[in-house]
Amino acid sequence: MTTRMLSGHHHTLGAHWDGEGVNFALFSAHAEAVELCLYDVTGQTETARYTLPEKTHEVWHGYLSGLDPGAVYGYRVYGPYNPQAGHRFNHHKLLLDPYARQLIGEFRWNDAHFGYRRDDPEEDLSFDTRDNAPFMPKCVVTAPSVFADDTRPKKPDVSWSQTVIYETHVRGFTLQHPDVPELARGKFAGLGHPKIIAYLKALGITSVELLPVQAFSDEHFVYEKGLRNYWGYNTSSFFAPHTAYLNENDAAEFRHMVDNFHQAGLEVLLDVVYNHTSESNRLGPTMSFRGIDNASYYRLQAENPRYYVNDTGCGNTLNVSHPRVLQLVMDSLRYWSSDMGVDGFRFDLAPVMGREPKGFNPRASFFQAIAQDPQLSRIKLIAEPWDIGPGGYQLGNFPAPWSEWNDDYRDTVRRFWRREPGQLPTLARRLHGSGDIFERSGRRPYASVNFITSHDGFTLRDLVSYQQRHNSANGENNNDGHRENLSENFGVEGPTDDAAIETARRRQQRNLLATLLVSQGTPMILAGDELGRSQQGNNNAYCQDNELNWIDWPSLGKHSEDLNAFVTLLLKLRADYRILSHPSYIHPPHRPESYDIKWLNSDGLEMREEHWQEHHSFLLGYLLTGPHDEQSRVTLLVIFNNSTQQQEFQLPDYQAESGESALCWRWLVDTIQERGIPERPSAASGEKLNIDERSVAILGCNKDIRFAQGTSND
């Protein structure tokens, strides 16, 4: 290796090997000098230190010939330590390269990470000279990507209208799976194992959404309680995969997992956190961005730059309005989409990405950058449409082609099934794909990502078993997590030996799942809900890296198998009856050959205005009809009965031709049954059915439905 650093170039940020050496480039507008520190292969011993010799357009850069992939490094950045002016440079702190594609070692908490002296009365106005390098992970130079090889499986390119999302966690999903090799459990290799992929394919989902896999660390307050950040929403590196999910500490392991999913026709979506970083507020650690250029990377309070804008609730907010920070996010997204093969992203606290000085703007620079990008504009983009900043709730306001987590859907369905009065009109809108929220801006039903549960909150099993949160294990005196869960425990809080309560809870899980999977829009299932997984009433299990979060595969019994079979049945139904996932909003037709949607009362006739005003009615028919020239699977009827007793429902009539059988209606799903498989014979047009209390009945007919009277509400 040469002992002299050459000037190199500023064009490509990060560390890039060209076959003869490595070019290093780091953006910092306000730094006075930048040192590159090289380490041995273990990352424990510093072997050399070089000053980057050039600064071009606010990018510090240098070139070392003879340096190869696998080289380990970090940065020390010199500049003013003046928090009141927004600057927090401290060259005593080893920093991660924001563009590092691989890390070695783990972040270990130590007071040396703080840029100030924690025992000083002036807090962050003081200056700490301890070296944090022994406790920091280090960056690793990687070889140029070889992932563009044409022999790799092509992306499945699942249409939005056919997408079914399965939200899961790399570690928790496989850590206790007996068919996954022990060394692969809890890793990318385990999630990409053939047994896991076969399970997901058999279930019927199309797209796996992974909780954060970009390198993250534990928050200090979590560490002090002896807990771990399990979910991963505390990102420290936007390019490097989380090292704990790697077997051989090779970033290519992630791409191999993605290739396995693609080979099976399944998509991989990533939950990404570009709204804040792991450096927290002014009293947080100095790990990367804060020490490289605090005033550029973060949004600071204009009246006092010592303090951070905290629209995220996590202590800081990334300054995506800055062109270099926007470039960082865009480069990161392109890397994961192209080099790593990812099919789409779900953006945590997404309003942050569009917030400008006057508030949220759907035409903010970030959204425009995405829209004009030939690669990113074609993949799946999902927003979590809320944060805690001013005007932070933005459901329905993201631009096309974005989709959004629809918490209004979640809450409406929960309210209906726990028998809150007056829910029928809103329930119909949510079943319709929330056109009242999304269609007004010209967007499609799949813009609504419908969900009953997610990683944040109760699992489905807990939703029907607990009235209150039980978060004491989190060490916050049960004060964290959502206070109101719109849940129902059926008379007993938590586990019970009462057979009647258990039966009611299992049926309610089926009711909720059935509602989700017959709704227009994009359904999302929380991993383990199809197995009845419980978190013992913890609705904020972000810090529980233990059996509370891990799926206990060895202990699954008959009820888990039954529920899994039920979800499989529903997903097959959704795939067979494409009218359930129509790519456009369905309205009463102007032409006979059009698709149609109708809302029915117990007489099998269209709901009238007075029916919608019956606040204590819990019976609704949902009828979908396809073009008349289709030969089969054109008409679907879903009957929701959340009454406390059996209700009579008259099936719609149709115009029978001479000699035609009247037994049009065939039972497809009945949530009374543990596996949803009906035990009822076909029914005749116009026949009156007894629909059991608190259940969902789904029937299909391939005839032309005729209505003699009634008006449509849609």
Side-chain angles (χ1 to χ4, degrees), residues 428 430-433 445 514-521 573-574 577-589 594-600 606 620-628 630 632-640 649 652 664-665 668 697-705 707 714:
R430 301 301 154 253
L431 291 168
H432 186 234
T515 306
L516 173 66
L517 294 176
V518 299
S519 298
Q520 305 291 308
L573 179 80
R574 188 176 180 89
Y577 285 80
R578 294 300 178 92
I579 197 170
L580 285 171
S581 53
H582 199 265
S584 300
Y585 282 99
I586 303 173
H587 293 286
S594 299
Y595 287 88
D596 192 8
I597 183 171
K598 286 183 171 63
W599 309 101
L600 309 182
E606 290 189 72
L620 179 67
Y622 165 45
L623 182 71
L624 295 166
T625 306
H628 297 173
E630 290 191 9
S632 63
R633 298 175 176 171
V634 295
T635 299
L636 203 65
L637 173 63
V638 185
I639 306 169
F640 302 92
F649 190 97
C664 161
W665 294 99
L668 301 173
I698 306 177
L699 299 93
C701 178
N702 62 354
K703 305 302 179 184
D704 180 9
I705 302 301
F707 283 86
D714 193 36

Side-chain angles (χ1 to χ4, degrees), residues 653-674:
D653 200 359
Y654 72 91
Q655 183 67 53
E657 298 179 0
S658 177
E660 188 176 47
S661 170
L663 295 176
C664 161
W665 294 99
R666 182 168 64 92
W667 281 80
L668 301 173
V669 176
D670 185 358
T671 63
I672 289 295
Q673 304 299 324
E674 291 284 349

Side-chain angles (χ1 to χ4, degrees), residues 48-224:
R49 188 178 295 197
Y50 301 90
T51 299
L52 296 186
E54 297 287 343
K55 181 183 181 182
T56 307
H57 304 319
E58 300 181 335
V59 175
W60 299 81
H61 53 93
Y63 180 89
L64 280 177
S65 63
L67 199 63
D68 294 321
V72 179
Y73 71 101
Y75 286 116
R76 296 183 186 275
V77 180
Y78 292 75
Y81 186 84
N82 185 1
Q84 293 167 318
H87 299 307
R88 295 177 179 270
F89 294 99
N90 188 332
H91 62 276
H92 299 285
K93 312 304 172 183
L94 187 76
L95 307 174
L96 296 176
D97 180 356
Y99 277 78
R101 284 160 168 72
Q102 188 170 310
L103 304 179
I104 184 172
E106 292 186 359
F107 177 84
R108 291 181 292 134
W109 270 108
N110 187 280
D111 278 359
H113 289 302
F114 296 100
Y116 62 95
R117 296 192 303 273
R118 297 188 72 209
D119 58 351
D120 194 296
E122 291 190 322
E123 294 183 316
D124 60 314
L125 296 180
S126 62
F127 188 73
D128 185 83
T129 60
R130 284 172 294 183
D131 186 1
N132 71 334
F135 316 103
M136 278 290 291
K138 311 300 188 299
C139 308
V140 180
V141 176
T142 57
S145 172
V146 295
F147 294 137
D149 189 339
D150 291 338
T151 62
R152 294 186 179 275
K154 292 184 178 180
K155 292 186 175 185
D157 196 24
V158 179
S159 68
W160 256 119
S161 60
Q162 300 305 311
T163 298
V164 179
I165 298 173
Y166 188 81
E167 189 196 32
T168 192
H169 189 280
V170 170
R171 178 168 166 82
F173 195 69
T174 65
L175 195 62
Q176 298 192 99
H177 200 293
D179 293 331
V180 173
E182 188 172 353
L183 291 179
R185 294 176 190 171
K187 314 282 186 178
F188 295 128
L191 194 62
H193 190 273
K195 289 285 187 179
I196 298 298
I197 291 178
Y199 171 83
L200 297 172
K201 285 289 289 184
L203 187 62
I205 59 97
T206 69
S207 311
V208 175
E209 181 177 303
L210 304 179
L211 267 67
V213 301
Q214 295 172 342
F216 60 87
S217 58
D218 300 325
E219 298 89 340
H220 192 250
F221 75 93
V222 172
Y223 160 77
E224 287 187 315

